[in-house]
Amino acid sequence: MTSDPNKDSAGPPPKPASPQPASPGPLPLRHAGHHEWATALDHRDRTWWFDCIARLAVLGGGLSAILFIGAIFVFIASQGIDFALHHLNWLDFLFGKRWEPTVEPPEYGALPLIMGTCWITGVAMIIAVPLAFGAAIYIGEFARGRQREWLKILIELLAAIPSVVWGVIGLQVMKPIIQHVFGVQVGLNVLNAGIILGLMAAPIITTIAEDALKAVPETYREAAEALGASRWQVIWKVVLPHARPGLSAAVLLGIGRAFGETIAVLMASGHRLMIPESVFDSAATITATIAAELGEAAHGSEHYQVLFVLGLLLFGITFGINLTADWIVRGRRSRA
Amino acid sequence: MVTEPPPLVSVRGLSIHYGDKVALQGVDLDIKTNEIFGIIGPANAGKTSFLRALNRMDEFVPGMQVLGDITFAGRDVRTVRNLYALRKRIGVVFPLPVGLPLSIYDNVALSPRLSGITKHAQLDEIVERCLRRAALWDEVKDRLKGLGSLLSGGQQQRLTIARALSQDPELLLLDEFSIAVDPVTTMRIEEVLKELRQELTIVLVTNLVQQARRLADRTSFFLGGLCVEIAPTEALFSGGAREQSTVDYLEGRFG
Amino acid sequence: MTTIDPMFVATPLEKRNHTIQQLVRTLLLAVALLLVVPALLILGVLVVEGAPGLSWSFLVDPPRSNGAAGGIGLPLLGTLWLTAGALLLALPLGVAAAIYLSEYARDNWLTRTINVAIVNLAGVPSIVHALFGVGAFVHFLHFGKSILAASCTLAVMTLPVVIVATRESLQAVPKAFREACWSMGATRWQTIWRVVLPNSGSGILTGLILCVCRAVGETAPIMFTGAVFLRSMAPQSVFDKTMALSLHLFNVSTQLTDVPHHLPFSVALVLIIVVLALNGTAIAFRMRLRGRKKW
C-alpha cells in the first residue's frame, strides 16, 4: 500500500506543519488578478470539519469492537487470575474427577465438566455435520427456484429459535421420546442434549457450508460438465475438494456454537457432575456449570473466582476456534 | 514584455504507478484558461490515469501512486487544505454514465445542496439551466421526480454532464464521454461544449480522433504512458505532427 | 419410424451414472428434510400444547403463585425494557462501526484487527458474556443487578450482529455512486448521508430486527445481570431489576414444581412467535428489497 503522507491530506488529522505549507501568502497568480475563487481551496469550511468529526465518530464505533473483546478478556481474567495463579492446583483442576465447590474442603476437579462438554459436543457434531452438509449440498447444487428459497428461509428460522425454547423442547418433548424409544430411566442425558445441540448447530453449519459451495466458481462446474461429468460427479470431484477449507471452517464454527451453548444444555443434559460413560448418562458442561452456580457463589469468593477461571477457559477455546476458522476462510480467499 | 495569462493547470514531471506497473511517465504540460485541451491515444496510454491525478481521485484507487507536480490555479493539488473544494472546482464525466439513485432533480441539485444552497427557486433555476445545457431538459422536464438511475444510458450520460455543470466548475474533465451516447446526442453535446468554452476550461479525453479535431484547441497524443506531443489541433491534423507514431495513429495504422 | 444415431444412445456407464445421480439427489433431499421436518414437528407440538393456554389475559396478567399460574404480563414488559435498552446502546455503536468499516477503513492492520475482534465477539459463548456483564457492569461500574447492566451485556452481545448486517447492506451500494459523488467534491460524510445511507436503509432495518430477535431470546446473559425469577411490580427505571420472558420460561420449566402441563408450552409459544415474527419481517424486507430495482 502507499505510504505517501501527502496522500492522506484528505484525512482528518490536520497537519499543522506540513513541509510545504500552502501559505495564504501572495501567490504570483493572485497578483496577476486571476482565480480569485481559488482561495476557497485553502479554506477549511464547515463541511470539511464536519466530515472530520464524523470520521472520528465512526472510527470510535469500529474501535468499540476491539475495546469490548479486550474488556471481556481483561474482566474475566482479572476476576479469576489471582485464584488461578496462586491457589488453584492446575493438575487437580484439569484432571480431578470431583467438582464439589460448596463442600468443605472444596474440590475443583473440572474433568467431569470437560468430559461432559466433549461428549455432548461430539454427539451434536455427529448429528449436525451430516445433516448440515447434506442440506447444504442439496440447497447449493440441486435445489432451484422456489424450493431453494423455502428451504433457506426454513433453515434461517430454525437458527433463530432461542436456546431456552430448545431447552424446553429437550425437557418436555425429547425426554419422553428417549425414555420410550431406548427404554432408559433417565431421559435427560448426553443423547438428549446432543440431539438438541445438533439441531441448533446444524442451521449455522448449513449456512456457512452453503456459502463455501457458492464460492466455488461456476466456471469450474461448467468446465467439468462440458467433459460429460454428471452433476454428482462434478460435486464429488470438483466442488467439494475445492470448498474443503470453507467446509472445515463451517464445522469449526458449529463446534464453537455447540461448545458455548448454555441454557439449552443445562436444561437437557440432566446436569450431573460426573464423567458420563455412555450417551444415556446425564452429564454437565462447563457452560451449564457456570450458569447453575454463578447465582449462588458470593461475589469475590473462591467459588466465584473458579467460575471465572472456567469462563477464561471457555473464552480461550472459542477464541482459538474462531481465529482458526477465520484464518482458514481468509487464507483461502487470499490464495484464490 | 507581454504577460501571457498563467495556465490554469500545469503539470511537471508527472508519473503514475499502480504497484509495479507504470501507467504514465514524465508528463509535462500546461492547460490554458478557456481552452479545450484534447487528449488522444490508444488504450492503456495513461489518459484516464492523467485525469484521475488532476482532481486527486487517486485516493479512491488502491495502489495508485502519483509522483510529480500538478498545480491547479497556482495551488499544488497535493497540498491544498480543502480537497473537497478542489474537487468542486473540477467537474468529471466518466466513460460509463452514473445516474445516482436519486430523482433526476436531486441528481442535479445535489452539488448545489452540498455547497449549502437550500432556496427552492435558486435550485430550480440551477437544475433547469444545467439540464438545458446538457441537452436533456426537453426529455425529462415532465418527470423530474423519476429516478435518475433508471434513465437510458445516453440520458444518464447527459445527466452526468448536467451534474458536473451544476458544480459550477472551472475545469471540466471529460473521459470518453461519447462511449455510451448515440451519435446524434454526441453532436448536441459537442455543440454545448463549444459554447461552454466561453466560461470554463475543458480537458477532453477521447478515443475518437475526429472528435478531438472538431473540438479541441490544442491536442496532445499519449502513447504507452508517454506524452508524445502537444500541438495546436489544426497544425497536428494538417500534417504538422513531428513524431512518426502520431502520424501513424492519426492515419489509423494502429489504435 | 425414426432411428436414433447410436452416438446418442446411453451407454451402460452413462445409465449407471444417471441412476447414481438420481439416488444421490433423493438422498440429499431426504437429509435436508430431516433437518427441517423435526423442527416443524416441534413447532407443531408447541402450537398444539401451548395454544389452548393463550389468551389476552395470559399476555397481560402478572404471574401468580411464584409464576406457576397467572399470565406473563410482567415478563413481557421486562423483555421490552431489556431489548429497548440493548437496541439503544448497540444500534448507534454498531451502525457507526459498520460505516467506518465499509466507507472509511483501508486494508491495514487496524481494519484487520477490528474484523478479527468482531468475528470473536460474535463467537464468544453467551455465558462468558454473562460473566463479563457481572464483572464489568454489575460490580466494576456499580450498576448493580439492574436493567441497565443487563441491557449493556445484551448490547455487547448483539453488537456483531448489527455490525455485520449493516456493513453488508452498505456494501451492496455500488462503488460507482460513491466515486461519482466524491468527484463532485462531496465529503465522505456527505456521500454517506446523501447517497449511501438512503439506499441501504432497509438493510440496516433488517440488521436491527435481527438484533432485537437475538436480544429477546437470550437467557444466560441476563439471568445474572438484571433479570430475576419473580418480581411483583413493573420496573420503574433502568436501575430496577425486572422479570424477562426467556428467564420466566426457564423458571417455569425447570425451577418450579406443580406447574400446569401446558404452561411452559404456552410461554415458549409466545416467545417463539415473537422471534419468528421478527425474523419473518426481516426476511420479507430482504425479499422486497431484492425485488425493487433502483439501479
Side-chain angles (χ1 to χ4, degrees):
Chain A
M1 288 298 107
T2 58
S3 56
D4 182 354
N6 286 332
K7 297 190 105 184
D8 279 326
S9 60
K15 296 191 198 73
S18 114
Q20 312 132 278
S23 64
L27 286 160
L29 290 178
R30 289 172 63 208
H31 266 298
H34 290 278
H35 312 316
E36 288 87 0
W37 47 266
T39 46
L41 304 189
D42 291 323
H43 174 64
R44 283 175 182 158
D45 52 4
R46 223 176 41 199
T47 53
W48 194 96
W49 286 108
F50 197 83
D51 180 58
C52 188
I53 293 165
R55 176 188 289 238
L56 286 179
V58 296
L59 174 64
L63 292 179
S64 74
I66 299 182
L67 174 81
F68 285 133
I69 196 80
I72 289 176
F73 178 75
V74 167
F75 269 100
I76 293 174
S78 71
Q79 305 274 331
I81 199 81
D82 176 56
F83 185 70
L85 291 183
H86 302 301
H87 304 287
L88 188 65
N89 182 339
W90 277 88
L91 222 56
D92 281 355
F93 180 66
L94 290 178
F95 300 107
K97 291 187 181 149
R98 283 152 57 101
W99 179 266
E100 288 167 348
T102 48
V103 299
E104 219 27 77
E107 294 258 3
Y108 302 116
L111 193 62
L113 316 181
I114 295 169
M115 290 305 291
T117 302
C118 291
W119 270 84
I120 291 174
T121 309
V123 172
M125 284 302 114
I126 290 171
I127 291 164
V129 171
L131 281 184
F133 278 10
I137 295 172
Y138 186 79
I139 292 173
E141 305 289 324
F142 287 107
R144 288 286 168 266
R146 220 160 251 283
Q147 188 191 30
R148 179 191 162 106
E149 283 296 314
W150 274 109
L151 279 174
K152 286 185 77 157
I153 288 174
L154 279 175
I155 284 174
E156 196 175 331
L157 291 179
L158 202 57
I161 298 178
S163 62
V164 63
V165 173
W166 281 114
V168 171
I169 293 162
L171 215 54
Q172 308 274 2
V173 182
M174 292 301 298
K175 181 176 132 184
I177 292 178
I178 286 179
Q179 282 169 329
H180 191 74
V181 171
F182 296 99
V184 288
Q185 288 276 305
V186 187
L188 297 178
N189 50 25
V190 171
L191 184 64
N192 191 334
I195 292 173
I196 293 294
L197 270 195
L199 287 177
M200 287 178 79
I204 292 164
I205 304 179
T206 309
T207 312
I208 301 170
E210 199 221 325
D211 282 345
L213 295 178
K214 212 167 25 182
V216 177
E218 199 58 37
T219 47
Y220 289 19
R221 294 188 183 86
E222 281 162 12
E225 272 178 4
L227 293 174
S230 72
R231 190 88 201 152
W232 171 245
Q233 284 173 320
V234 173
I235 295 167
W236 189 249
K237 304 262 179 183
V238 179
V239 178
L240 287 184
H242 198 83
R244 200 156 60 195
L247 296 179
S248 11
V251 174
L252 267 181
L253 291 173
I255 293 177
R257 173 78 201 261
F259 185 85
E261 183 45 54
T262 311
I263 289 292
V265 198
L266 177 63
M267 292 163 82
S269 69
H271 199 63
R272 188 185 68 139
L273 291 159
M274 304 267 273
I275 298 174
E277 274 153 17
S278 82
V279 291
F280 298 114
D281 280 350
S282 296
T285 63
I286 304 176
T287 50
T289 307
I290 301 176
E293 295 175 9
L294 186 62
E296 60 202 46
H299 175 53
S301 67
E302 258 189 22
H303 188 188
Y304 178 88
Q305 294 187 32
V306 82
L307 292 178
F308 275 83
V309 176
L310 284 181
L312 202 56
L313 193 68
L314 274 180
F315 181 82
I317 294 171
T318 44
F319 201 84
I321 289 176
N322 283 302
L323 275 190
T324 316
D326 192 50
W327 176 76
I328 290 174
V329 173
R330 261 167 225 284
R332 192 179 61 124
R333 272 205 210 120
S334 61
R335 255 182 282 139
Chain B
M1 217 177 118
V2 184
T3 52
E4 184 161 317
L8 182 66
V9 177
S10 76
V11 175
R12 292 288 174 270
L14 177 70
S15 295
I16 298 174
H17 303 254
Y18 293 95
D20 306 332
K21 245 181 64 196
V22 180
L24 207 61
Q25 224 176 355
V27 172
D28 298 315
L29 55 81
D30 286 334
I31 297 166
K32 295 178 202 153
T33 310
N34 292 5
E35 75 169 338
I36 297 185
F37 185 84
I39 299 180
I40 57 173
N44 287 324
K47 298 168 295 182
T48 300
S49 301
F50 176 74
L51 290 193
R52 279 185 174 277
L54 282 187
N55 81 337
R56 288 281 314 278
M57 281 195 292
D58 49 300
E59 195 192 333
F60 313 141
V61 187
M64 180 168 168
Q65 244 186 314
V66 180
L67 307 168
D69 294 326
I70 303 171
T71 58
F72 173 65
R75 307 291 196 282
D76 184 342
V77 296
R78 312 258 231 107
T79 55
V80 291
R81 284 159 68 91
N82 191 339
L83 180 59
Y84 310 113
L86 171 78
R87 294 212 185 106
K88 236 168 240 161
R89 286 295 165 191
I90 304 180
V92 192
V93 176
F94 297 105
L96 292 178
V98 182
L100 294 172
L102 304 168
S103 74
I104 294 170
Y105 183 94
D106 290 339
N107 259 284
V108 185
L110 181 58
S111 181
R113 279 184 177 142
L114 292 179
S115 317
I117 296 174
T118 50
K119 281 194 194 116
H120 279 286
Q122 209 176 348
L123 286 174
D124 289 348
E125 187 267 321
I126 292 173
V127 170
E128 183 174 345
R129 177 162 50 85
C130 293
L131 283 174
R132 276 189 195 283
R133 276 267 173 87
L136 188 62
W137 174 254
D138 292 334
E139 286 165 54
V140 300
K141 64 183 173 201
D142 300 325
R143 48 183 179 126
L144 289 174
K145 294 276 170 277
L147 273 181
S149 46
L150 295 182
L151 291 173
S152 76
Q155 289 173 325
Q156 281 199 40
Q157 190 61 301
R158 280 176 283 159
L159 180 64
T160 313
I161 293 174
R163 218 170 49 208
L165 292 176
S166 74
Q167 296 168 227
D168 191 18
E170 294 295 326
L171 175 64
L172 185 60
L173 310 178
L174 295 164
D175 190 359
E176 304 189 346
F177 74 89
S178 50
I179 279 185
V181 185
D182 62 277
V184 178
T185 315
T186 304
M187 297 308 284
R188 286 171 71 186
I189 296 174
E190 285 184 12
E191 290 307 313
V192 172
L193 294 181
K194 280 181 199 160
E195 279 172 38
L196 284 173
R197 180 166 46 176
Q198 310 299 321
E199 357 178 337
L200 46 83
T201 311
I202 297 172
V203 178
L204 175 75
V205 166
T206 178
N207 51 351
L208 305 173
V209 173
Q210 292 309 318
Q211 191 173 57
R213 182 173 197 173
R214 286 194 295 270
L215 292 176
D217 297 306
R218 289 189 303 146
T219 300
S220 66
F221 174 57
F222 278 36
L223 177 63
L226 295 170
C227 176
V228 177
E229 73 175 294
I230 306 171
T233 308
E234 266 320 302
L236 197 71
F237 280 88
S238 48
R242 276 172 291 130
E243 304 287 333
Q244 189 55 40
S245 59
T246 316
V247 177
D248 289 347
Y249 182 72
L250 292 180
E251 293 181 358
R253 295 206 190 113
F254 71 96
Chain C
M1 175 92 198
T2 52
T3 53
I4 298 168
D5 188 326
M7 208 177 119
F8 296 114
V9 175
T11 64
L13 178 67
E14 280 162 357
K15 274 184 188 154
R16 213 192 63 185
N17 274 344
H18 187 74
T19 321
I20 294 180
Q21 157 106 351
Q22 288 307 316
L23 211 66
V24 166
R25 191 194 155 100
T26 319
L27 200 74
L28 288 173
L29 176 61
V31 168
L33 291 180
L34 204 58
L35 179 60
V36 173
V37 167
L40 293 179
L41 281 180
I42 287 164
L43 281 185
V45 170
L46 283 184
V47 172
V48 169
E49 301 269 353
L54 291 192
S55 65
W56 179 246
S57 62
F58 179 72
L59 292 179
V60 294
D61 283 357
R64 286 192 310 272
S65 339
N66 293 334
I72 52 168
L74 285 176
L76 259 181
L77 188 65
T79 292
L80 200 66
W81 273 80
L82 292 170
T83 310
L87 201 61
L88 235 52
L89 295 164
L91 198 65
L93 219 50
V95 171
I99 290 177
Y100 177 76
L101 288 172
S102 157
E103 307 296 320
Y104 288 93
R106 295 164 187 215
D107 187 20
N108 56 22
W109 66 267
L110 180 67
T111 310
R112 281 193 289 271
T113 313
I114 293 177
N115 278 320
V116 166
I118 292 169
V119 165
N120 278 297
L121 206 54
V124 167
S126 56
I127 191 68
V128 175
H129 279 292
L131 288 176
F132 170 63
V134 170
F137 301 122
V138 175
H139 292 305
F140 182 76
L141 291 176
H142 297 293
F143 291 167
K145 247 189 123 175
S146 61
I147 292 177
L148 183 59
S151 288
C152 288
T153 313
L154 283 178
V156 173
M157 206 181 70
T158 49
L159 189 63
V161 181
V162 183
I163 295 178
V164 170
T166 309
R167 183 176 55 185
E168 257 170 37
S169 67
L170 292 178
Q171 282 178 345
V173 178
K175 182 136 198 255
F177 294 160
R178 298 186 175 89
E179 289 201 4
C181 216
W182 290 334
S183 71
M184 292 166 59
T187 64
R188 289 214 173 215
W189 179 251
Q190 286 174 324
T191 307
I192 293 164
W193 189 247
R194 302 263 179 176
V195 175
V196 180
L197 282 182
N199 285 296
S200 50
S202 326
I204 294 172
L205 205 58
T206 311
L208 176 151
I209 292 172
L210 292 180
C211 163
V212 171
C213 201
R214 183 92 195 274
V216 166
E218 277 300 335
T219 315
I222 57 172
M223 68 193 288
F224 304 112
T225 50
V228 290
F229 283 145
L230 208 62
R231 203 183 129 88
S232 55
M233 51 192 273
Q236 305 296 316
S237 78
V238 291
F239 296 103
D240 282 353
K241 298 184 181 65
T242 179
M243 293 184 80
L245 196 55
S246 53
L247 189 65
H248 187 64
L249 176 55
F250 179 73
N251 189 22
V252 295
S253 50
T254 63
Q255 308 301 95
L256 299 179
T257 48
D258 54 83
V259 175
H261 172 71
H262 74 84
L263 186 60
F265 290 104
S266 299
V267 180
L269 189 61
V270 172
L271 186 57
I272 216 161
I273 286 173
V274 170
V275 166
L276 291 190
L278 285 170
N279 252 282
T281 317
I283 291 171
F285 256 125
R286 214 175 44 210
M287 301 276 240
R288 232 192 70 191
L289 201 63
R290 217 183 299 157
R292 198 182 43 187
K293 212 170 142 50
K294 283 186 83 177
W295 55 75

